[in-house]
Structure formats: C-alpha cells, structure tokens
Amino acid sequence: MRQIIAMGGGGFSMEPDNLLLDQYILSQAHTDVPKICFIPTASGDADNYIERFYEAFEKLVCTPSHLSLFSQNFMNLKAYVMQQDILYVGGGNTRNMLLLWKEWGLDTILKAAYKKGIILAGISAGSLCWFEEGVTDSMNNNLSKIDCLGFLTGSNCPHYDGESNRRPSYHELMASGKMKEGYAVDDGVALHFKNEKLSASVSSRPTAKVYAVNRKASKVIEHELLVTYLGDDKQ
C-alpha cells in the first residue's frame, strides 16, 4: 500500500510536548520498530532542527536517522533511502528543497520509495511537496503557487489557521484559476492518504480543522471534513 501523511503543522517541531501526530505516523508502519528517516533539506539541514527530531523520536519506539544533502552522510543515496520504513520531510523553503532534490535525483528516488510502500510524511514544505501544487512563502516571503512532485492530485495549503494571510491567499489563487482545487489544513492536522485517496484526517489539537476547497465559477467553497482527535477528549 502507498501511504502519504501530510501535516498542515504540528508534530515534534511545533509541539515538542505533544507527539500525537508523530506517534500516529509511526503506527502506520508494518513493523514493530520502524526505521524513520528525517529529511530536513528545506531548512538547509539546520542542526537544531535535526537535534529536535532525535530528541523527540528517541522517546518513541523506532529507529531514527536523518538524511543530509549539505553534509553528506550516506554512501549511496538511493540505497540509504530505500532501506527506510518512513521518510519524514521537515519544513522550510519548499522551492530550495525541490531544486536540491532534483539536482541530487532525490525526487525520483522518493517516487520509487513511495511505489515500494515506504511511508512518506512531512510538515509544511514536507506536506505540500507531495501534491501537484501548494501555497508557499518560499519566494520573497509572499504567498504564491509552487509546482510540486505531483504524487497526489490537486493543491495543498498548510498552516491554514496559523498564519492570517493563508486563507485569503489560497482563495485568491483558486478564484483566479491559478491554483487547482485541494485541501486547506490547520496546524495540528494530518491528512492520511492511502493509494492516493484520502483515508483519514487526524489531529493533535481538539479544535483543529481541515477543508476540501473547491471552485465554482469564480466562487471558492470550503467543505469542512471530519477530523479524528488523537488525544483524550476529556482533557
């Protein structure tokens, strides 16, 4: 089965004391101790980001590692990637990340990993990269459309409730016909796709939401989707 888990925000980097989404990702692997590899290209392989990954995942039942394109830590890139159970892509500059991946051939390796059944996951840049298009602030800090890998159809807008300009920018791009219909995802929500179909939406925050966003003529319409809260509702 092919799986992608795309987070609008949250996870260890945004919620270090709330690892519900990270635990959910690990639970989807078909092994008791999954090998999970962090890919922090979008941050320029920032040391503190990598350190926070290990700090979080060493508390969980898994074998964590990371992939660095800036300080090469592998002998054979494809072999290193293909031995993993989960590939977890961090946030940062989506444009720079995709350009580097293409230069290294990592984009085609990731497609091969996906077809093999290795779980693809990520937050922000690591979320929208799997779709055809996404809303990014990678260019001049202005929100704009970016073409992505296209493993999933349509568009994606992360941080929908976390940044005030996300919703109006997504609506404007879609209303003008510049962006395909897609998903708008609050911080703390993950979209779980199985074989390119949305299977579930889960959250680490009880009030976080996700929307299917469509266009009818020049009007943009949001449809709120069911989200399952992963925590204790009594909290």
Side-chain angles (χ1 to χ4, degrees), residues 61-80:
V61 181
C62 63
T63 303
S65 63
H66 75 281
L67 171 66
S68 176
L69 296 181
F70 289 84
S71 300
Q72 186 177 333
N73 64 339
F74 52 85
M75 293 296 292
N76 183 301
L77 179 58
K78 185 173 183 178
Y80 189 82

Side-chain angles (χ1 to χ4, degrees), residues 53 66 225:
F53 165 76
H66 75 281
L225 304 180

Side-chain angles (χ1 to χ4, degrees), residues 38-49:
F38 183 46
I39 305 178
T41 315
S43 70
D45 290 350
D47 289 339
N48 66 335
Y49 201 6

Side-chain angles (χ1 to χ4, degrees), residues 16 24 50 77 80 93 141 145 147 153 165 173 221 232:
Y24 178 83
I50 296 169
L77 179 58
Y80 189 82
N93 189 302
N141 293 318
K145 169 191 164 182
D147 293 323
T153 59
N165 55 347
L173 287 165
I221 303 168
D232 184 352

